[in-house]
Amino acid sequence: MKLRTVLGIVLIAVMSVACVKKGNNTQKPQPAEGKHYVKSIELYDENFEPYNESIEFRLDSQKRIISIEGIERTEGGTEFVYSSADFTYGNNNDLTIECDFDGEQITINCELNDRGAIAHAVYEGNAAEMAGVEENFTYNNDGELVIYDMVYMNYVLYSMEYEWKDGNIARIEVTSGGEYEGEIVCNYTDEPNPYNIDMFYACSWTMPFLCEIILFNDGLLGNTNRSLLANTTDTTISDDCKTVLTHKFNSNGLLDYTKYEDTIFKFICFE
């Protein structure tokens, strides 16, 4: 499953770690200390045949992500950027995200709270279904996202309430006037998540719109989950809809790659 098939015109959210040789795995590794920041993600099929696609990240001096690009490569090595998101951080707790997905432009104007997490976002651009949409994010005193609302013309279209347990999102109650009604239950591995990106935001079609644009969490949506996501059960789609992720680790205790459905995401970090 190629990146465009997985998420259409949006980028994918995955965790970032060092790149190692295929097959070097430990059962219960102890990850190296410190935080690890993703530089690029290479996509493969389940047999490790390359898709010739990657996601490239750039960071500023404060380790904030300032650009994400989805890149395709031809057999001759020519690169084509088909999706991009550029981040401009202002001086007054504001952030502007300029997105281009196969010619569709979206601008997201964000207000940040004192911790640097997005509290309010407004959408503009030529994607008609997005223009005028607003998103509100509410956090608890620990910096955990607890309430999300999608609003249009002062009317709440879609809402989610998050329940946290031991530093992980355990359950999400989804409320809307349409088809997305129910709950998402999340389970995690024993391994901690010392990375700047959280796979959680790639694994449900009912995540906030903003997650579908940036699809990562570097503090912009509050705390990341403490551990690595193992699976989710989503009753907003069906009673038995379950997403399962497989994580492989190297001998240093760092994640080598994650398998999601029939796609393998191989991670390369900044030095």
Side-chain angles (χ1 to χ4, degrees):
M1 181 180 296
K2 299 183 75 175
L3 179 60
R4 293 193 194 202
T5 306
V6 175
L7 291 170
I9 62 171
V10 295
L11 302 174
I12 186 75
V14 284
M15 292 165 298
S16 55
V17 286
C19 179
V20 297
K21 292 182 179 179
K22 171 185 173 184
N24 190 6
N25 185 41
T26 57
Q27 195 68 22
K28 285 191 176 181
Q30 296 297 319
E33 295 182 359
K35 201 168 188 179
H36 303 275
Y37 293 87
V38 66
K39 179 180 180 180
S40 65
I41 303 163
E42 301 291 336
L43 277 72
Y44 299 83
D45 69 15
E46 56 188 337
N47 298 313
F48 259 97
E49 292 295 325
Y51 281 142
N52 294 321
E53 289 189 50
S54 66
I55 306 164
E56 307 289 335
F57 297 85
R58 288 195 302 123
L59 308 181
D60 65 11
S61 60
Q62 300 180 49
K63 299 291 187 181
R64 299 177 300 189
I65 294 179
I66 56 175
S67 77
I68 307 174
E69 290 184 337
I71 296 175
E72 284 187 351
R73 296 176 180 84
T74 66
E75 292 184 0
T78 302
E79 293 187 351
F80 170 67
V81 178
Y82 60 85
S83 297
S84 65
D86 295 308
F87 302 76
T88 302
Y89 299 86
N91 297 321
N92 298 309
N93 280 357
D94 60 287
L95 164 67
T96 301
I97 307 174
E98 299 282 353
C99 308
D100 189 317
F101 303 118
D102 286 331
E104 287 197 350
Q105 286 81 34
I106 300 172
T107 298
I108 314 174
N109 299 303
C110 306
E111 298 175 11
L112 309 181
N113 64 18
D114 291 340
R115 296 179 183 228
I118 297 173
H120 181 68
V122 179
Y123 288 72
E124 302 173 351
N126 64 5
E129 69 276 12
M130 298 296 297
V133 168
E134 299 185 31
E135 294 183 291
N136 297 311
F137 300 84
T138 302
Y139 307 86
N140 62 20
N141 291 334
D142 294 324
E144 298 167 339
L145 177 63
V146 291
I147 297 175
Y148 161 80
D149 290 319
M150 183 177 71
V151 181
Y152 182 74
M153 300 292 289
N154 296 319
Y155 177 74
V156 177
L157 298 174
Y158 182 67
S159 183
M160 292 192 293
E161 185 172 345
Y162 296 75
E163 176 186 329
W164 290 74
K165 183 178 180 180
D166 299 327
N168 290 323
I169 297 172
R171 177 179 172 275
I172 308 167
E173 182 178 351
V174 181
T175 306
S176 77
E179 59 182 312
Y180 297 116
E181 202 83 36
E183 69 174 10
I184 304 167
V185 177
C186 307
N187 296 293
Y188 297 82
T189 68
D190 293 332
E191 291 83 17
N193 175 28
Y195 313 117
N196 70 316
I197 292 178
D198 195 338
M199 188 67 179
F200 167 83
Y201 290 96
C203 296
S204 174
W205 300 111
T206 53
M207 291 299 100
F209 277 9
L210 189 60
C211 298
E212 295 184 7
I213 299 298
I214 60 175
L215 286 174
F216 76 95
N217 185 336
D218 194 19
L220 287 178
L221 297 176
N223 295 355
T224 57
N225 287 295
R226 178 182 59 82
S227 302
L228 307 179
L229 184 65
N231 59 71
T232 63
T233 301
D234 189 342
T235 67
T236 67
I237 300 174
S238 70
D239 290 340
D240 59 354
C241 182
K242 190 170 186 177
T243 296
V244 178
L245 293 88
T246 302
H247 308 291
K248 297 297 182 180
F249 298 84
N250 65 21
S251 58
N252 295 323
L254 294 176
L255 190 64
D256 182 7
Y257 63 85
T258 288
K259 183 179 179 182
Y260 172 37
E261 296 185 343
D262 58 356
T263 301
I264 290 173
F265 302 95
K266 181 85 170 172
F267 311 112
I268 301 171
C269 273
F270 291 98
E271 297 294 336

